[in-house]
Amino acid sequence: GEGSHLHAPIPREGAGQLAEKVAGWLDMALGGGAGVGRLNRGRCLWYGDLNAVLRYAPASMAQPFDNKKSEIRLLDIEAKTLDEVADFLEKYSDRGDLEWTEQRFLHPYFPWGGNSGDVQLFRNRGSDIARYVTNYILADGSYHLMSRNCQTFAADLYTFLTGIDVGAKSWPVAMSYTKHVDHFVQEPLAPEL
């Protein structure tokens, strides 16, 4: 769901620099119920404008809720450091100054103590990360609340990018978590002609 995410400050292509760090949160999330219409009626909590994704997404992205399928969103958010993510979360949480009707996050915190690690991949541009994430979802597009969800995706992606082995952090998910970092490099087969 929208509650557990992993943020990775990865520079845009052409910026002339390599991704240096992966923070404990990433602007990608594996959620249940494929389609933009699933969470918050298509609104995205990671932009100041909640309707930004709906405004620019193709109409075909709005699909009925399906709790058996996963969705992954790759978002280009303004925050590029862990501190900037923390500031955004605080602003839109119960800890900020906004009225409760404007709040989006309840008691946000950083799992793993806000760990960061150096990206160990040679191919680590935005387009490379997008390909890895696409491979991951194509390898297994299912969603299971207790065994394949945003927490397992975050753990797999963090481990894949940094080589630091982490697991899911909530007790019930940690009990059933199986690492699938191999899915990031599992290229789909070409369709038969």
Side-chain angles (χ1 to χ4, degrees):
E2 288 285 330
S4 299
H5 296 281
L6 178 74
H7 170 75
I10 300 170
R12 292 185 184 101
E13 274 184 70
Q17 54 183 302
L18 296 177
E20 294 178 7
K21 293 284 186 180
V22 175
W25 287 49
L26 176 66
D27 52 331
M28 301 176 214
L30 177 71
V36 171
R38 190 251 200 221
L39 294 172
N40 299 300
R41 295 180 197 87
R43 293 178 291 167
C44 180
L45 303 180
W46 296 98
Y47 294 115
D49 175 2
L50 287 171
N51 295 310
V53 172
L54 277 180
R55 190 172 300 107
Y56 299 107
S60 61
M61 292 292 292
Q63 298 291 320
F65 176 74
D66 184 343
N67 67 353
K68 302 285 188 235
K69 294 181 181 175
S70 293
E71 66 180 15
I72 293 183
R73 302 176 193 178
L74 294 139
L75 305 171
D76 188 6
I77 61 173
E78 289 183 23
K80 301 299 180 207
T81 67
L82 195 58
D83 287 339
E84 290 176 6
V85 173
D87 291 344
F88 184 87
L89 289 171
E90 185 168 321
K91 175 181 178 179
Y92 288 103
S93 76
D94 54 322
R95 297 180 190 140
D97 295 329
L98 297 175
E99 295 292 324
W100 72 270
T101 55
E102 302 288 321
Q103 296 172 12
R104 305 173 187 183
F105 308 102
L106 181 63
H107 310 309
Y109 71 97
F110 291 87
W112 307 303
N115 284 351
S116 291
D118 293 331
V119 173
Q120 300 298 316
L121 300 175
F122 176 73
R123 291 182 175 87
N124 58 19
R125 296 177 309 170
S127 61
D128 298 319
I129 303 301
R131 184 175 56 253
Y132 298 139
V133 170
T134 300
N135 291 345
Y136 186 89
I137 196 70
L138 289 174
D140 182 357
S142 66
Y143 176 84
H144 300 287
L145 181 62
M146 301 306 281
S147 61
R148 182 163 168 80
N149 57 36
C150 53
Q151 291 182 42
T152 61
F153 172 74
D156 285 347
L157 184 62
Y158 187 85
T159 299
F160 176 70
L161 293 175
T162 66
I164 299 169
D165 198 3
V166 297
K169 293 301 174 188
S170 72
W171 173 80
V173 176
M175 295 296 292
S176 61
Y177 171 65
T178 302
K179 189 173 11 176
H180 290 292
V181 293
D182 57 312
H183 288 177
F184 291 109
V185 294
Q186 185 176 329
E187 296 280 342
L189 298 174
E192 291 185 29
L193 300 175

